[in-house]
Every structure is written in structure tokens, then in C-alpha cells.
């Protein structure tokens, strides 16, 4: 589940906003998954932008290239918010995504 709250957009070229919003292909992870288990892949990012994970749900999730993966402490079931930062030379966008550990 993606939240509109927390998405921050900066102006690009004379008021043009970042038109694309990143999308995650999966939102669920089994508890006690091995480190590196893929939750989902990030799609729809701007070609020249970089991604970083600025809130990793207390160390439960990590970003490797375009893959959201379980980190070494993804063992406790629950619902966690992560925040992905997309940035290029003209704009920054934050997207919050809800990850469920079952």
C-alpha cells in the first residue's frame, strides 16, 4: 500500500513536477526469511535518478539496486513503513510503502 502522505515533490523546470511515481511490485515478506529474500522490485523510476532507502523499518528491509529485500532482522511479523527516496539533479521525491511481514 502506498501513501500519498509523505510524498514530497520539488519543482522541476519552471514548475514541472516529477510526473512519475515509483512503484513496488510486491509488499509481503514471510517472517524469518533469509537475508536477501526479495520482497519486490522498484519500477517506474526516472531514468537518471538514484534511489535510496531512508527508512528501513528498523533494519528489516534493504534496497539492493532496484530490489527491496529482507535484511537480517526481518523476523517479526507486522506491518512496517519504509521510505524510498528518488533523486536526480532537478528533483527529489519520497515515497512511503507499507511492507507486511507475515
Amino acid at each position: 500500500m502506498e501513501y500519498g502522505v509523505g510524498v514530497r515533490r520539488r519543482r522541476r523546470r519552471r514548475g514541472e513536477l516529477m510526473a512519475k511515481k515509483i512503484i513496488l511490485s510486491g509488499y509481503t515478506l514471510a517472517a524469518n526469511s533469509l537475508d536477501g529474500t526479495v520482497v519486490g522490485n522498484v519500477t517506474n523510476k526516472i531514468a537518471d535518478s538514484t534511489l535510496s532507502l531512508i527508512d528501513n523499518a528498523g533494519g528489516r528491509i534493504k534496497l539492493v539496486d532496484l530490489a527491496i529485500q529482507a535484511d537480517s532482522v526481518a523476523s517479526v511479523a507486522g506491518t512496517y513503513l519504509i521510505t524510498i527516496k528518488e533523486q536526480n539533479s532537478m528533483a527529489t521525491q519520497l515515497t512511503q510503502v507499507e511492507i507486511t511481514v507475515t
Side-chain angles (χ1 to χ4, degrees):
M1 178 176 287
E2 297 178 17
Y3 292 87
V5 176
V7 173
R8 183 180 72 192
R9 295 179 178 176
R10 292 189 185 165
R11 293 183 181 267
R12 297 179 71 180
R13 298 183 198 162
R14 295 185 186 174
E16 176 189 352
L17 295 174
M18 271 182 135
K20 296 172 102 179
K21 182 176 179 183
I22 59 173
I23 300 168
L24 187 60
S25 64
Y27 301 93
T28 305
L29 177 68
N32 300 315
S33 293
L34 296 175
D35 185 12
T37 300
V38 175
V39 177
N41 291 300
V42 175
T43 60
N44 207 37
K45 88 175 202 56
I46 296 172
D48 67 339
S49 68
T50 59
L51 297 177
S52 57
L53 194 58
I54 60 172
D55 181 353
N56 64 359
R60 291 173 179 85
I61 304 295
K62 63 184 174 183
L63 175 66
V64 179
D65 296 321
L66 294 178
I68 301 293
Q69 300 179 354
D71 208 341
S72 57
V73 295
S75 59
V76 180
T79 301
Y80 304 96
L81 283 177
I82 62 171
T83 305
I84 302 169
K85 178 180 177 182
E86 180 178 19
Q87 184 171 6
N88 66 12
S89 62
M90 302 185 78
T92 298
Q93 178 170 274
L94 301 177
T95 302
Q96 287 188 320
V97 179
E98 188 175 89
I99 303 293
T100 302
V101 179
T102 57

